[in-house]
Amino acid sequence: MFLIQAKQILKMKSKSCLILDDSEADANYLKQQLTLLPFFDSLSVSSSIEEALGLLATQRVDLLFLDVKLNGQSGLQLLKHYSELPPVIITSAYPEYAIDSYEIGKTVDYLLKPFSYERLLISINRALSIQISSGSMAEIDFIFLKMGRKIQRFEFKSIDYVEAYGIYSKVISDGQVRTVNERLVTLTDLLPSKLFLRVHKSYVINITKITSFDRNYLWLGQLKIPIGISFRPRLEGLLRLFDRTEEID
């Protein structure tokens, strides 16, 4: 899985990030990977909680990478006692702290060292998605998805629908069918809910592409998409509109 959402690069608001890690090698590796991304304009590194608190108090931080063990300190203490934290991605060589970090409620993802660049991008996407949903970043308009070993950019407005294809999905966009390395359930969670809606176990549609509908089907131009029974509650608004049109007729 390879995902990352952002505004158009030339228009997007730059982000700042803080790396809290007492391993210079690990911090440098992470910083090097982050410099490859176009939307981080500030990358700070700290090796202690005290130093990190000073940076958090004096500069904007949009994303925090936090190691669990810090020279006798616990990164979880920062999670517990500092309320004004940005989205947090834990970076740790110790998997046993994952449950505790999530239970505290401020952790977006848990990266187990050593992690790949691909896995790092998944975490960043999750963190930025949380910021998007809380209104601190608006109007994202594209997504990168992995197709085999290739990374393909998809404009949200160009996607007509997504169809389940086993452990993969077919993305129908700009008149082309492309198979991506994602299950439909994953794409359902990560595509913007204001634009995309799952209407069947096998289909997620772009609601702006709907041209007509009845109680059982939605049409995207000439294409007929079935409405799954278990997904009908999500379409109550449309179905009520259908009932009103029947009353008028």
Side-chain angles (χ1 to χ4, degrees):
M1 180 167 61
F2 178 99
L3 307 173
I4 188 162
Q5 297 173 309
K7 292 181 70 178
Q8 291 181 352
I9 291 174
L10 294 178
K11 297 180 180 179
M12 70 176 297
K13 182 179 179 181
S14 296
K15 297 292 177 181
S16 62
C17 128
L18 172 59
I19 300 168
L20 177 49
D21 198 317
D22 63 350
S23 168
E24 184 177 355
D26 288 350
N28 287 339
Y29 169 78
L30 179 53
K31 187 173 182 179
Q32 181 182 27
Q33 301 307 304
L34 294 174
T35 58
L36 299 176
L37 301 174
F39 44 83
F40 285 117
D41 65 344
S42 175
L43 298 171
S44 302
V45 177
S46 175
S47 60
S48 71
I49 291 177
E50 291 77 16
E51 183 181 6
L53 287 174
L55 292 172
L56 287 165
T58 57
Q59 64 185 42
R60 188 188 91 243
V61 176
D62 299 301
L63 182 60
L64 173 62
F65 288 91
L66 176 63
D67 194 6
V68 173
K69 290 193 173 182
L70 299 162
N71 289 324
Q73 297 179 308
S74 171
L76 298 183
Q77 294 302 311
L78 181 63
L79 292 180
K80 291 177 180 178
H81 301 299
Y82 193 76
S83 59
E84 301 298 325
L85 288 177
V88 177
I89 296 173
I90 299 291
T91 59
S92 176
Y94 304 94
E96 60 266 28
Y97 295 105
I99 294 177
D100 290 339
S101 70
Y102 283 119
E103 285 182 345
I104 294 171
K106 299 174 184 176
T107 301
V108 176
D109 202 358
Y110 198 96
L111 278 178
L112 192 61
K113 298 178 181 179
F115 48 83
S116 67
Y117 183 59
E118 178 177 297
R119 184 64 181 85
L120 171 64
L121 291 179
I122 293 170
S123 291
I124 293 172
N125 179 77
R126 289 172 178 168
L128 293 181
S129 294
I130 285 178
Q131 289 184 300
I132 290 163
S133 66
S134 66
S136 60
M137 181 176 178
E139 298 182 5
I140 57 167
D141 53 18
F142 64 80
I143 187 171
F144 282 102
L145 298 174
K146 191 172 184 181
M147 298 169 50
R149 296 185 178 181
K150 173 185 175 183
I151 306 304
Q152 179 66 43
R153 168 173 162 160
F154 294 88
E155 302 284 342
F156 290 145
K157 65 182 180 182
S158 73
I159 299 175
D160 295 324
Y161 67 98
V162 183
E163 182 178 357
Y165 188 55
I167 63 172
Y168 304 101
S169 297
K170 293 180 180 179
V171 179
I172 290 73
S173 173
D174 292 326
Q176 299 183 55
V177 180
R178 299 183 177 97
T179 301
V180 301
N181 303 14
E182 298 293 343
R183 293 180 181 273
L184 189 67
V185 64
T186 302
L187 292 179
T188 301
D189 291 337
L190 290 165
L191 289 169
S193 60
K194 291 184 178 180
L195 193 59
F196 293 91
L197 181 66
R198 191 170 185 181
V199 299
H200 187 275
K201 65 180 181 179
S202 297
Y203 295 97
V204 171
I205 65 166
N206 183 333
I207 60 176
T208 68
K209 305 291 184 174
I210 298 173
T211 54
S212 59
F213 61 92
D214 62 22
R215 295 183 187 279
N216 301 305
Y217 296 95
L218 297 157
W219 277 264
L220 312 182
Q222 299 301 311
L223 179 70
K224 186 164 79 171
I225 301 287
I227 298 174
I229 294 176
S230 62
F231 295 91
R232 283 182 173 274
R234 305 180 186 184
L235 296 167
E236 286 181 356
L238 282 178
L239 296 179
R240 282 198 298 270
L241 179 61
F242 180 79
D243 291 338
R244 290 196 191 102
T245 59
E246 280 193 334
E247 290 172 4
I248 294 173
D249 293 340

